[in-house]
Each structure stands twice: as C-alpha cells, then as structure tokens.
C-alpha cells in the first residue's frame, strides 16, 4: 500500500499541564522572580503548615507547579530537617542530576555543598549536603545498610505514579522505617509522596489515610491533535509530522518525539539528519539529539543546551523525557503512543519484550512536555478512539517482572516477601518462582516454608545485579576466572555493544566476526572487552569495528564497581587466560536454569519448562547446532529466542548443577 504524503490531525482537548523551565542562571534576582512566579509559591505557607502537622503527606502537583525543585528548598529554608537530610527520589538518573543542578543554581551553591545528587557510578554529595536527589535504586541500597534510614529527616518520593519496582519497594520500606523510628524513640521521619497523576485514594489508604494536598499548575494551554485515520506505521507518521512542523513553524520552536527504544531512536535520528541535509529541505537549520537511558551521561545532557538563533532542535526520546526532566524550548510534542515494556511469565521463565500502547496517564504526561514555557501543540500519532481505548494507568513493574532480586533485597532487610506491605501485591506465582530461584542458587534456605538468607545470599545481595550474575561472580574464584567473568557480566549489564548499521550490514558483520568465538557469545563479548581495553584510541577503534563506544564505556564503569565490591568481599582477582572452559563451567553456576538441548527435529527445548526456543540471529552460534547450550535470557519478539548463547558439556552440567537435570542421551540425537 502506498504511504500518504502527509498525516492529517484534528484539533481536540486542551491540556493545562506545564513544567517549570530549567534555564541557565542569568542572575540572582531573575532566579528569585522565577521562583516566586511558580504556582507553588502562592501556597507556600499553607503547604509548610501541612508538612509540619503531618508525618505523611500525599501531594498532587500539576506539571509546572514547581514541587520537585521548590518543596525541598522551602523545608531547608526553615531548617525543618534539623541535623538530617532531605532525600528526594527520582525514577531516572538523568532527572536526579538535572534537578539537583537546577536547585544548586537557585541556592547559589556548587554541587556537593548544600545540594548534591547520588546515582549509580556518581555521588556528588558531601558531609555538608542537606538536599540530596537520588535514584530510587540508590535509596533502596542505602536502606539495605540502614533500614531505619537514620541519616534522613525527610524522604520525598517523587514521580510516584511511575511505579518502578524500586519505588514500590521503597513505599513499604520508608513506611516501615517511619514506624520503627517512632517505636525506638529516634528522631521522626517525615514522608512526602508526590506526583502529577496518581490514584489518590489508593495511595492515601496505603499510607494510613494520609491527607492529600493539591497544587495547581501553570496555565499554558497545549492543543492536542489526533490523526483523522488510524496509522499502521507510527515511525513513518512521526517522521512526516517532524517535517510538517519544521516547514511551517519558526526557528527555536523545538520538537520532542516519543519513540520506544534505542534502536528505533537511532534509526529515526539518522533518517531525520539525512533528510535535513537535503538542500531542498525547507525550514531553518536542524539539530537532532537522541535521548535514552543507555546513552552516555554527557550525551544525555546535550539535550538541555538551548538551540541557537535560526536553529530548531529535534529531541527523539524514550519515556525518559515524560517526567521530571525539563528541556527548554519545546513547543511541539509528537507522541507515537507506544512504549517498549517487558513482561515476565513465570510458567515459562520467558521475558516478553513488547512494543505496546501507552496508558492515558502516560499520554497526558507526554502532552505536558509541550507547554512548559509557552502554549504548545501535541501531535498524537493515533486517533481519538485509540486514546479512549487505552487503559487509564500503566501496569506497575512489580506485577510483571521476575522478583528474585526484589525478594533477595527484602530478605537483607529481614523482611519476608510473603508478609511485606506492598502497595499492590505481586501475583503468587511470581513470588514462588523468585523464592525457588534463590533457593536453587543457594541464596536462601527454607525453614518451615519461610526463606532465610544464607551467607552466600548476603554476599550476592551486595552486587546490584540479577542474582544469577552475582552467583557467577562469587563462583569465579573457584574456577580461577574472576577477571574474565567481571568483563562479561559488565557488558551484559548494559545495552548491546553492537551497532546495527543497516546501510553497511555486511561490513558490520565482518567486523563482528573478528571477535567471534566457537565457545559462544559470552567469550565473544570477552574478546570485545579485551580489544577495547587494550586500545588507546577507543572511539576510533569502536567506529572501525561497528561497536558502541558509549555502551563499552558504561561497561567499563560497571566492571570497576563490581571489582570494588569483590575486593570488599575479599575475593582475590584471578585469570584463566585462554582456558575458556573455565569460564563456561563458571557460567553454569548461575545459568543452570537457563539450559536448552537439541532435539531430533533440530529444535531446542529448554530444560525444565520444555519451551521450544531458537538461537537468536545475532548470536555467533546462529546456524550451528550444539547439543546443549546455556543462555542469558529468553525474549519473545515473534519467535522465542535465546540471547547470548554458549555451548556447554553435559558432564559439566551434571557435576555443577545443584539439581538433577534430565538430559537426553546425546548419542541418540547423533
């Protein structure tokens, strides 16, 4: 079917959502005027009275009210935190960093003085820090060391509606810490739960009928336009809409596009740049910036630099830009209406990575990005009927994920997941699966059907990893291959290091083949890391080999952190050199549940769940048929694929696996 030359949108619904712009600091008076112009300033006294009066407060602040930047400052100005810290959690690192930078700017101090942030691999806080922005995962790790969170006087849980796994656990942990501190006569802990959109009654009831305070946002209207007809290719719809806007609108009116993931964003970025280079392309100069979680921090921060005269910026982002982060100059939002989400199935052990419709709450969050500094327009690449059929809110991550890591973290806090006070309790089958995985890994013992942490489990919990990865690292000393295992797991902990170049596919495949090993994908990743680590011209080397320098740089940082934890655990560094059998045997200690064997019909069946699976086309083993393989994960994107595959010897499996696995007699297959 021939694609239409343009997409037609209809006018509908106006949104009143806006967010306070994070502009460069011109001078102190200008900053003060901006702060006083925020809607929250008008209700400052009444709000602080509510904070003083209540131990827990639910705060609904429309986008643009100033809640994230101003409330911690109001509390600090009155010294309400006394000798404690005001901790403000964010679901994403880029939000924690940018908001902390803005608040430091407003207070006229440097990061690490009164204001700081703490995210993975980066901590700018000091003994002087009183306002601390941190990711929810970092606060959770602090709670594992000190369950009462004694360093804090205030915990502000921001963007509560996002319902990440870490946020959901923190709800229960801070609530419990608050009660513990009362019962042990410690200084009280005050909790503020904040969001622009949430199920207010549900949250209030969970926090013992906590009072709810509403703050209006700034009234910049956002015009919403829907497509007249349903669109069968949202990427094409977004691309056409970018250039319709670019042709008709003035410079410095920037565009924010919401897509689903790294590959999609990089492909769209390349297409927009290629079209913009055409001398016949109408409109001002165009600069395109990708934005997604795996992007290097320096690259993420580039999107916050304002556009120059006679230039338009196009920022192409995942849902990382839905909340908290403020990108100045955005007047137009293009919402694909899609998000990439992982759903775990306990019956098969399968993680289904699906591109699916967003919720109405997400749609409104995206719309609000267009009205932060002035009136704007949101183009929705779907019809009004599509919007009406969307679910009201998104499914919390804790209801659709493997829970083994969650259960391990709770056990460190001496909390039984079966009795933990979840805001929404996960399905029983996910809890049972998580407990059984930890038992097989040796992290827990079951006593009267109650899980108890073992010494190995305590060590595993020190690593910010999936328990299977932690077990492999802790087993590496026995096999003399810790150096190699750390490199492999560091790469597996981030986004893919391979660059998918659709134009130069053959060259990219040839480059990858230089690192390919008959021992499988894990050793191939090790070869890549060794090559990257040994070169002095890292960026040029990555470019030549079609590898992502930012993802390998990220892996290097992860590896350093993991190495530091090993030293704290007194695990000596060891290397197996070229004896890759040691690595493959060590991988079995964590991945013995991730095995598949070849059948007579030349298909693979997973051991245990008997799921029919295929080696992923990106694997170096694709096209070969080893008898027995282990894999890092299963994903379903049409077919059910094994990703990161390594062949193993059945005799190793029988010796190393803690369970008696029934393997086929290899001779009968031959």
């Amino acid at each position: 079917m021939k694609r239409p030359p343009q997409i037609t949108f209809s006018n509908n619904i106006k949104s009143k959502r806006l967010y306070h712009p994070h502009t460069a600091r011109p001078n102190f008076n200008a900053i003060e005027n901006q702060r006083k112009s925020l809607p929250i300033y008008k209700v400052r006294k009444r709000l602080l009275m509510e904070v003083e009066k209540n131990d827990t407060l639910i705060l609904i602040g429309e986008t643009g009210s100033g809640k994230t930047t101003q409330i911690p400052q109001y509390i600090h100005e009155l010294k309400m935190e006394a000798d404690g810290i005001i901790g403000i959690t964010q679901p994403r690192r880029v939000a924690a960093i940018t908001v902390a930078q803005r608040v430091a700017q407003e207070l006229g101090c440097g990061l690490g003085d009164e204001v700081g942030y703490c995210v993975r691999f980066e901590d700018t806080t000091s003994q002087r820090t009183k306002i601390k922005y941190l990711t929810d995962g970092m606060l959770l790790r602090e709670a594992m060391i000190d369950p009462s969170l004694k360093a804090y006087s205030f915990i502000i849980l921001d963007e509560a509606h996002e319902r990440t796994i870490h946020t959901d656990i923190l709800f229960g942990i801070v609530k419990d810490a608050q009660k513990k501190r009362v019962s042990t006569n410690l200084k009280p802990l005050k909790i503020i739960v904040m969001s622009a959109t949430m199920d207010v009654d549900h949250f209030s009831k969970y926090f013992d009928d906590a009072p709810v305070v509403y703050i209006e946002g700034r009234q910049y209207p956002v015009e919403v336009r829907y497509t007249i007809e349903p669109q069968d290719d949202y990427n094409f719809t977004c691309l056409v809409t970018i250039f319709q806007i670019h042709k008709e609108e003035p410079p410095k009116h920037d565009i924010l596009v919401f897509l689903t993931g790294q590959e999609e964003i990089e492909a769209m970025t390349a297409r927009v740049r290629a079209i913009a280079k055409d001398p016949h392309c109408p409109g001002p100069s165009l600069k395109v910036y990708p934005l997604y979680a795996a992007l290097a921090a320096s690259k993420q921060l580039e999107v916050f630099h304002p556009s120059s005269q006679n230039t338009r910026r196009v920022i192409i982002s995942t849902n990382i830009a839905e909340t908290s982060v403020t990108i100045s100059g955005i007047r137009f939002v293009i919402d694909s209406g899609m998000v990439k989400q992982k759903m775990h199935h306990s019956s098969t052990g399968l993680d289904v990575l699906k591109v699916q419709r967003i919720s109405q709450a997400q749609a409104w969050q995206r719309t609000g990005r267009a009205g932060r500094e002035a009136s704007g327009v949101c183009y929705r690449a779907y019809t009004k009927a599509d919007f009406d059929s969307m679910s009201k809110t998104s499914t919390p991550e804790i209801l659709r994920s493997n829970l083994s890591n969650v259960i391990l973290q709770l056990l460190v806090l001496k909390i039984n997941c079966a009795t933990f006070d979840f805001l929404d309790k996960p399905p029983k089958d996910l809890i049972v699966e998580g407990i059984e995985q930890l038992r097989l890994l040796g992290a827990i013992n079951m006593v009267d059907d109650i899980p108890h942490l073992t010494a190995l489990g305590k060590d595993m919990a020190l690593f910010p990893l999936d328990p299977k990865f932690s077990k492999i690292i802790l087993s590496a000393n026995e096999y003399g291959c810790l150096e190699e295992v750390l490199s492999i797991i560091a790469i597996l902990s981030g986004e893919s290091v391979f660059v998918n170049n659709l134009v130069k596919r053959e060259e990219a495949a040839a480059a990858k083949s230089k690192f390919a090993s008959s021992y499988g994908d894990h050793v191939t990743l090790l070869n890549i890391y060794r090559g990257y680590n040994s070169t002095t011209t890292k960026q040029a080397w990555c470019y030549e080999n079609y590898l992502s320098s930012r993802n390998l740089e990220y892996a290097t940082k992860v590896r350093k952190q993991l190495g530091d934890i090993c030293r704290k655990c007194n695990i000596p560094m060891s290397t197996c050199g070229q004896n890759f059998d040691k690595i493959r045997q060590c991988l079995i200690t964590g991945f013995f549940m991730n095995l598949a064997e070849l059948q007579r019909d030349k298909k693979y069946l997973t051991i245990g769940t008997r799921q029919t699976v295929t080696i992923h086309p990106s694997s170096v083993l694709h096209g070969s048929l080893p008898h027995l393989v282990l894999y890092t994960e299963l994903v379903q994107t049409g077919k059910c694929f094994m990703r990161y595959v390594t062949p193993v010897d059945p005799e190793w499996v029988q010796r190393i696996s803690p369970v008696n696995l029934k393997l086929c007699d290899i001779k009968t297959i031959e």
Side-chain angles (χ1 to χ4, degrees), residues 355-619:
V355 172
Q356 60 188 44
R357 283 277 179 209
I358 58 174
S359 65
Q360 290 185 6
Q362 281 178 286
W364 285 118
Q365 286 286 350
R366 293 179 176 189
T367 298
R369 306 304 97 186
R372 297 182 180 188
E373 298 170 321
S375 58
V377 181
C378 176
Y379 291 84
R380 290 179 172 170
Y382 45 92
T383 65
K384 179 65 168 58
D386 289 333
F387 174 79
D388 291 338
S389 68
M390 289 175 180
S391 60
K392 300 287 184 190
T393 57
S394 305
T395 304
E397 190 179 5
I398 205 158
L399 302 183
R400 51 180 175 82
S401 300
N402 183 315
L403 298 182
S404 57
N405 202 26
V406 171
I407 295 165
L408 185 63
Q409 290 171 332
L410 290 176
L411 287 171
V412 172
L413 294 162
K414 298 182 171 58
I415 295 170
N416 184 349
C417 61
T419 57
F420 183 66
D421 187 12
F422 289 103
L423 178 59
D424 289 297
K425 189 159 186 171
K428 186 178 178 182
D429 58 338
L430 286 179
I431 294 175
V432 169
E433 179 202 29
I435 289 173
E436 180 61 9
Q437 282 189 9
L438 291 175
R439 187 187 69 79
L440 292 173
L441 288 167
I444 61 172
N445 287 326
M446 299 300 292
V447 181
D448 297 327
D449 292 330
I450 297 172
H452 293 269
L453 210 56
T454 63
L456 175 63
K458 288 176 185 174
D459 286 343
M460 285 167 65
L462 295 173
F463 294 88
L465 296 169
D466 183 295
K468 293 174 185 173
F469 288 175
S470 306
K471 176 65 182 290
I472 291 166
I473 290 174
L474 291 167
S475 302
N477 185 38
E478 181 186 344
Y479 294 91
C481 58
L482 184 59
E483 291 277 3
E484 290 75 19
V485 160
L486 288 178
S487 302
I488 292 166
I489 287 178
I491 292 183
L492 290 173
S493 298
E495 295 280 336
S496 173
V497 295
F498 299 105
V499 173
N500 290 322
N501 191 315
L502 300 177
V503 178
K504 298 182 178 179
R505 188 175 291 168
E506 288 182 10
E507 291 94 326
K512 184 178 179 179
S513 68
K514 289 190 291 186
F515 307 101
S517 168
S518 59
Y519 290 99
D521 295 319
H522 297 93
V523 175
T524 299
L525 295 180
L526 174 63
N527 291 340
I528 289 169
Y529 186 84
R530 284 175 169 174
Y532 175 78
N533 202 40
S534 64
T535 185
T536 53
T537 55
K538 288 182 168 41
Q539 283 202 338
W541 183 86
C542 288
Y543 181 79
E544 289 167 12
N545 290 291
Y546 296 87
L547 295 168
S548 168
S549 61
R550 52 180 167 259
N551 291 350
L552 279 165
E553 181 188 351
Y554 176 82
T556 304
K557 291 178 180 177
V558 172
R559 192 187 187 283
K560 182 181 182 302
Q561 187 192 44
L562 297 178
D564 291 343
I565 297 169
C566 287
R567 278 182 280 278
K568 286 176 188 173
C569 293
N570 295 316
I571 304 171
M573 284 292 162
S574 57
T575 178
C576 63
Q578 298 299 310
N579 187 354
F580 299 136
D581 283 357
K582 293 290 186 186
I583 298 169
R584 295 195 291 158
Q585 289 171 42
C586 186
L587 290 173
I588 295 170
T589 64
F591 290 147
F592 58 85
M593 293 176 278
N594 294 15
L595 293 165
E597 58 182 343
L598 187 65
Q599 305 300 299
R600 289 176 182 170
D601 59 2
K602 307 237 175 132
K603 292 180 181 176
Y604 282 93
L605 274 185
T606 58
I607 306 295
T609 58
R610 312 307 287 172
Q611 178 89 8
T612 302
V613 291
T614 305
I615 295 175
H616 196 277
S618 64
S619 171

Side-chain angles (χ1 to χ4, degrees), residues 70 118 125 142 155 162 168 172 186-187 199 239 367 417 426 429 431 454 471 479 501 569 603 645 664:
Q70 302 307 301
C118 181
T125 61
E142 286 187 30
I155 296 288
E162 289 218 9
D168 264 36
L186 292 169
K187 64 185 179 186
D199 184 345
L239 182 67
T367 298
C417 61
D429 58 338
I431 294 175
T454 63
K471 176 65 182 290
Y479 294 91
N501 191 315
C569 293
K603 292 180 181 176
V645 183
C664 291

